[in-house]
């Protein structure tokens, strides 16, 4: 995010017990009773029912909802205090929950919080790639890599670890050949990325990526991290910088697809804005090293970017519609109305309509109406809707690793 957003995140940190940096997960305000209920795996007195099919997980203020991925029927409510974030763990059963004290593993199919935990302050990005899941803990700079298939044992997986030279809001990804790309920075400044071989020996480095943030992988393992003046690509053992057309052209959030060489990114040009609400997204071709800007005619948020089953770029606009973009031409192929018009809140932790895509289905939350919708991306038809007891914030689900 731009400088003003980072400033707000730091200011919010001084007002809360759970300190958050940009796009990291924190929470606070625990009570012994709430902890006991959470450790039990859900609402006191409730026992998990039958396994949920292709579960979704939505956060709300004080807990998690687990829903059936087809019907959207609410299967279970788990109480978990604080501001929590959710990401796919990389298998068909589990979701990673970022809490105040670290990453926790939720068995979403079985509807229980497991005892598997990666403790550390400010748990941040969760990345799935090449059959590995990578956790980056901002407060310590620690990177944990594991095979998500090992979560089924119920025990904490044995895996690779690496600790950054300095703690920072970062991200890491492991490639199929065992190389590990991890960002470089401090709490005050982020500069680029390095690559380690499978023995954690540095083999490549690039520090020409100011404000490095986010990551995505395209076809043929072209891996990108965003910069405040473009995007940095690592492929076949070498870094390549693709410059933005503006002096300040920040691509802080990206979405990739194994079926396409093109990455989808956001695009911001005002470093002084309290909150920039951009209307353009970026399409970055990792093969030709070309960057294309597409004007949607509506703004969006960092929770609006996803990829469809054929590599198409999908963006949830503040006009309430899904904008489906041909990733190769930049042409907007269709607009699918889903929710009403909305505006991105100034506080990044506040709820707003959120997009999560799995296979051919786009799931869209509507926190203002406490609703959640499933949309078929091929037909544009809503296949299911549900109204929940509380407004939801983050939205994710189980997704097997690439």
């Amino acid at each position: 995010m731009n400088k003003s957003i980072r400033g707000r995140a730091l200011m919010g940190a001084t007002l809360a017990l759970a300190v958050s940096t940009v796009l990291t997960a924190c929470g606070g305000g625990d009570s012994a009773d709430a902890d006991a209920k959470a450790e039990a795996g859900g609402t006191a007195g409730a026992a998990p029912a039958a396994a949920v099919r292709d579960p979704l997980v939505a956060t709300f203020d004080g807990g998690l909802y687990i829903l059936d991925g087809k019907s959207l029927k609410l299967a279970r409510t788990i109480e978990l205090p604080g501001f929590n974030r959710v990401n796919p763990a990389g298998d068909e059963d589990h979701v990673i929950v970022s809490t105040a004290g670290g990453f926790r593993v939720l068995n979403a199919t079985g509807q229980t919080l497991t005892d598997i935990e990666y403790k550390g302050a400010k748990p941040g990005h969760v990345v799935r790639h090449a059959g590995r899941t990578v956790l980056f803990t901002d407060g310590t700079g620690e990177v944990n890599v594991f095979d998500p298939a090992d979560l089924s044992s119920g025990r904490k997986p044995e895996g690779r670890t690496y600790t950054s030279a300095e703690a920072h809001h970062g991200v890491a990804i492991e490639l199929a050949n065992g190389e590990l790309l991890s960002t470089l920075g401090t709490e005050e400044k982020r500069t680029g990325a390095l690559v380690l071989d499978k023995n954690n020996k540095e083999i490549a480095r690039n520090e020409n990526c100011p404000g490095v943030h986010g990551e995505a992988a395209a076809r043929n393992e072209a891996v990108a991290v965003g910069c405040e003046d473009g995007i940095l690509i690592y492929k076949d053992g070498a870094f390549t910088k693709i410059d933005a057309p503006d002096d300040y052209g920040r691509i802080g959030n990206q979405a990739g697809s194994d079926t396409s060489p093109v990455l989808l990114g956001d695009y911001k040009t005002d470093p002084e804005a309290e909150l920039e609400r951009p209307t353009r997204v970026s399409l970055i071709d990792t093969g030709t090293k070309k960057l294309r800007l597409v004007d949607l005619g509506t703004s969006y948020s960092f929770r609006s970017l996803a990829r469809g089953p054929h590599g198409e770029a999908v963006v949830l606009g503040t006009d309430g519609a899904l904008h489906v973009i041909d990733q190769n031409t930049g042409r907007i192929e269709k607009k699918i109305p889903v929710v009403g018009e909305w505006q991105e809140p100034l506080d990044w932790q506040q709820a707003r309509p959120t997009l999560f895509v799995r296979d051919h289905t786009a799931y869209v939350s509507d926190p203002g109406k406490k609703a959640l919708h499933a949309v078929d991306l091929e037909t544009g038809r809503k296949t299911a809707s549900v109204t929940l007891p509380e407004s939801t914030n983050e939205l994710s689900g189980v997704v097997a690793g690439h």
Side-chain angles (χ1 to χ4, degrees), residues 179-182 184 192-197 201-207 234-239:
E179 292 179 354
L180 180 72
L181 183 149
S182 189
L184 293 163
L194 56 74
V195 179
L196 309 172
D197 67 13
K201 179 183 177 182
E202 183 176 329
I203 57 175
R205 173 184 290 246
N206 186 295
E207 296 189 60
Y234 179 76
K235 186 175 185 297
D236 297 330
F239 281 104

Side-chain angles (χ1 to χ4, degrees), residues 3-349:
K3 296 177 181 176
S4 61
I5 296 177
R6 290 198 299 273
R8 286 193 303 280
L10 290 173
M11 179 177 66
T14 66
L15 301 176
L17 292 176
V19 181
S20 295
T21 55
V22 179
L23 296 185
T24 61
C26 279
D30 308 80
S31 70
D33 181 57
D35 279 345
K37 292 176 182 178
E39 291 297 336
T43 303
V52 181
R53 295 181 302 169
D54 299 322
L56 297 176
V57 180
T59 69
F60 65 92
D61 186 10
L64 310 170
Y65 290 132
I66 301 177
L67 306 101
D68 182 285
K70 185 175 182 180
S71 68
L72 299 187
K73 179 181 177 181
L74 177 58
R76 186 162 174 79
T77 300
I78 293 180
E79 295 182 19
L80 190 63
F83 175 73
N84 303 300
R85 308 198 70 189
V86 286
N87 285 280
D91 68 352
E92 297 179 350
D93 296 310
H94 297 88
V95 166
I96 303 294
V97 184
S98 302
T99 71
F103 296 102
R104 297 191 63 179
V105 177
L106 169 72
N107 184 334
T109 301
Q111 307 166 55
T112 57
L113 273 170
T114 73
D115 294 328
I116 302 172
E117 184 174 10
Y118 293 82
K119 294 183 178 180
K122 306 177 192 174
H125 285 271
V126 178
V127 176
R128 298 170 296 110
H129 180 73
R132 291 290 185 270
T133 299
V134 184
L135 313 178
F136 195 105
T137 302
D138 293 352
T140 62
E142 184 177 81
V143 176
N144 283 280
V145 185
F146 60 87
D147 183 342
D150 293 340
L151 295 172
S152 61
S153 70
R155 297 184 299 275
K156 189 173 182 177
E158 294 184 4
R160 176 182 188 174
T161 61
Y162 163 73
T163 301
S164 307
E166 295 192 56
H168 64 283
H169 177 51
V171 67
I173 178 173
E174 186 176 273
L175 281 64
N177 64 3
E179 292 179 354
L180 180 72
L181 183 149
S182 189
T183 52
L184 293 163
T186 67
E187 290 186 359
E188 291 76 31
K189 184 178 181 181
R190 303 191 301 274
T191 57
L194 56 74
V195 179
L196 309 172
D197 67 13
K198 59 184 179 181
N199 298 313
N200 282 1
K201 179 183 177 182
E202 183 176 329
I203 57 175
R205 173 184 290 246
N206 186 295
E207 296 189 60
N208 185 29
C209 185
V212 60
H213 186 272
E215 66 71 40
R219 192 170 67 197
N220 298 324
E221 284 205 307
V223 177
V225 291
C227 317
E228 291 178 348
D229 57 359
I231 199 161
L232 188 64
I233 308 292
Y234 179 76
K235 186 175 185 297
D236 297 330
F239 281 104
T240 302
K241 177 70 175 292
I242 302 177
D243 292 327
D246 300 277
D247 290 340
Y248 182 91
R250 187 175 191 275
I251 305 174
N253 300 281
Q254 312 87 32
S257 168
D258 287 344
T259 67
S260 172
V262 179
L263 299 169
L264 167 67
D266 56 2
Y267 192 74
K268 295 184 176 182
T269 57
D270 185 357
E272 304 304 326
E274 182 180 12
L275 173 64
E276 184 175 354
R277 296 185 170 97
T279 61
R280 293 182 296 175
V281 294
S282 55
L283 296 175
I284 305 100
D285 192 317
T286 61
T288 64
K289 307 298 190 297
K290 301 291 186 182
L291 187 155
R292 181 201 305 268
L293 297 178
V294 178
D295 198 326
L296 301 175
T298 184
S299 62
Y300 55 92
S301 87
F302 71 91
R303 292 181 183 152
S304 293
L305 308 180
R307 302 302 290 269
H310 310 295
E312 61 269 47
V314 185
V315 184
L316 174 62
T318 56
D319 59 355
L322 293 172
H323 298 249
V324 182
I325 307 167
D326 185 303
Q327 72 275 19
N328 297 310
T329 66
R331 185 174 66 89
I332 299 175
E333 295 182 316
K334 63 179 77 171
K335 296 181 182 179
I336 306 172
V338 184
V339 297
E341 293 185 5
W342 55 281
Q343 186 177 62
E344 182 178 8
L346 291 176
D347 182 351
W348 73 269
Q349 290 189 357

